[in-house]
Amino acid sequence: MLALIFGAMIYATLLSLVLLSFIGLPLLLIGLLIPACRRRMRRQPLHFAALAVVCVIFVVCTLWKIHSDDQLGKALHPELEQDVQLDGLPLPAGAKLNLGTLEPLDSQGQPQPHGLRSLYYAKFAAPHTINGVEVTELQMYGSGPFSKMLLSRDQVVAGWPCAGGTWVTLDIADEDRLQPSRWRFSSCTLVTGADVAGVKWPSSSEVSQYDGRFSIDTIGLASPAVVIQGIALSDLSLDLDERRQPGRWNGQLAQDLTLGDWHYPRGMRVRQDTPGTLMFSPSKSDSAQNLRTGETLNAGRSIQQRREGGAVLWVKPNTGLGVLDW
């Protein structure tokens, strides 16, 4: 804490001296033009000379620092004048780049990627093809699913119909940064109306990959409602296996639904864990009702029914079912 306070005091002192120097040096020069001030300076030449030297030193050092930072900024943000091939990554002329560092050694004295090899952002003057995908921007931030490409148009990426003007997220290991053929698909926004796994997905739906499996999720309330197995939902999350075959899903009803003797209002949470069954989970704001007996099912319990016929398989507390009460 003391070190931070001491550092802040030094910084504030230096900043004050710089500001005073930029003010003081012009005032001294102006004083030389005024007879009364000039006579006073002649009476105390050493005093004013020392003051002028200090001002000049601070002004020159500050201007040199500004110039150095500007030169470094230009070096770290070049615009390519000709095509460049970085291992497996082609970069076209006109691309505007952001580089991480120009230093060949890191703070521990170890070799590190530098110059063009420390590239972490590129903006292309025209759509540019990387690994068969047309993009306008590329971002590479660290190892893992943090890198992105901005699609120039609707196109198929890793077998998924991804929307133009949106980002494709990539999982890139540090050693594969300049090898696009080794980049792994992580997620993208689907083309509006794309038919995937028997569902027509609304705008802003996103497909993601994790450990070889996939999930597709609507982002926000679906408009129009997304329909799966004849059920209209205001939001939907669908899991797919390694072969991209649909599995479990969950969402919220976009309209009232009656299944067997039970009636479920709009907004009711619904989930399919196994084919042919549906599980409904009331929240504090809505409840299910048995139309035959008048029984109600409130928050804290869930009911599972067969999709065909609506036979009730069980009614259980949410504990252990992976259902949050809200």
Side-chain angles (χ1 to χ4, degrees):
M1 186 64 180
L2 289 176
L4 289 175
I5 295 175
F6 184 68
M9 292 175 61
I10 292 178
Y11 177 80
T13 301
L14 289 175
L15 181 61
S16 299
L17 289 173
V18 168
L19 292 175
L20 290 173
S21 296
F22 272 90
I23 295 172
L25 187 59
L27 290 178
L28 287 173
L29 295 175
I30 293 172
L32 290 173
L33 302 177
I34 302 173
C37 294
R38 188 165 58 245
R39 286 193 296 270
R40 183 177 179 182
M41 290 180 183
R42 287 175 178 173
R43 287 195 297 268
Q44 296 177 305
L46 293 179
H47 174 80
F48 285 100
L51 183 60
V53 169
V54 171
C55 289
V56 168
I57 290 174
F58 275 99
V59 169
V60 170
C61 289
T62 302
L63 293 177
W64 176 83
K65 181 67 167 59
I66 292 173
H67 174 73
S68 298
D69 288 347
D70 180 64
Q71 293 299 108
L72 178 60
K74 290 179 179 178
L76 290 174
H77 301 85
E79 181 174 340
L80 294 181
E81 297 180 356
Q82 59 186 15
D83 294 353
V84 172
Q85 184 74 30
L86 287 177
D87 294 345
L89 177 62
L91 297 173
K96 296 180 179 180
L97 312 180
N98 288 3
L99 310 180
T101 182
L102 302 177
E103 300 298 327
L105 302 178
D106 62 19
S107 57
Q108 281 75 43
Q110 299 299 314
Q112 65 177 353
H114 61 284
L116 290 178
R117 290 185 172 275
S118 66
L119 171 73
Y120 67 87
Y121 174 79
K123 184 173 184 178
F124 307 112
H128 175 59
T129 301
I130 299 178
N131 202 26
V133 180
E134 280 191 13
V135 301
T136 55
E137 295 181 44
L138 170 66
Q139 296 181 4
M140 293 189 288
Y141 295 121
S143 180
F146 308 112
S147 300
K148 300 187 292 183
M149 298 189 299
L150 184 62
L151 299 181
S152 63
R153 57 179 176 82
D154 294 353
Q155 54 197 296
V156 176
V157 181
W160 300 102
C162 300
T166 64
W167 294 95
V168 171
T169 304
L170 304 166
D171 187 348
I172 303 177
D174 282 337
E175 61 272 17
D176 296 333
R177 293 180 72 257
L178 304 180
Q179 299 292 345
S181 61
R182 301 176 189 169
W183 296 355
R184 295 175 296 278
F185 173 87
S186 182
S187 68
C188 83
T189 299
L190 295 177
V191 172
T192 300
D195 192 335
V196 180
V199 176
K200 287 189 178 297
W201 294 90
S203 62
S204 299
S205 299
E206 185 175 282
V207 56
S208 304
Q209 178 178 226
Y210 182 75
D211 282 347
R213 302 178 70 87
F214 301 90
S215 68
I216 307 178
D217 301 90
T218 55
I219 307 301
L221 294 179
S223 181
V226 57
V227 178
I228 184 169
Q229 299 175 6
I231 301 174
L233 303 174
S234 58
D235 67 77
L236 171 63
S237 177
L238 171 64
D239 293 339
L240 298 95
D241 62 19
E242 295 87 346
R243 296 175 298 169
R244 307 191 182 189
Q245 296 301 307
R248 60 179 293 173
W249 56 264
N250 66 84
Q252 287 183 274
L253 296 178
Q255 57 193 35
D256 290 5
L257 174 70
T258 298
L259 182 61
D261 293 333
W262 286 90
H263 176 77
Y264 303 101
R266 178 176 177 268
M268 177 71 64
R269 292 174 291 175
V270 57
R271 188 173 91 189
Q272 176 185 277
D273 290 332
T274 57
T277 66
L278 293 174
M279 185 182 80
F280 298 89
S281 301
S283 65
K284 294 179 181 179
S285 60
D286 53 50
S287 58
Q289 184 175 30
N290 188 303
L291 299 178
R292 182 173 57 84
T293 65
E295 177 188 359
T296 59
L297 185 69
N298 299 313
R301 295 191 299 163
S302 295
I303 179 174
Q304 187 179 73
Q305 295 175 262
R306 293 200 183 279
R307 179 71 179 88
E308 297 297 329
V312 175
L313 300 177
W314 48 252
V315 177
K316 295 180 180 179
N318 287 339
T319 304
L321 295 178
V323 177
L324 298 177
D325 291 322
W326 49 271

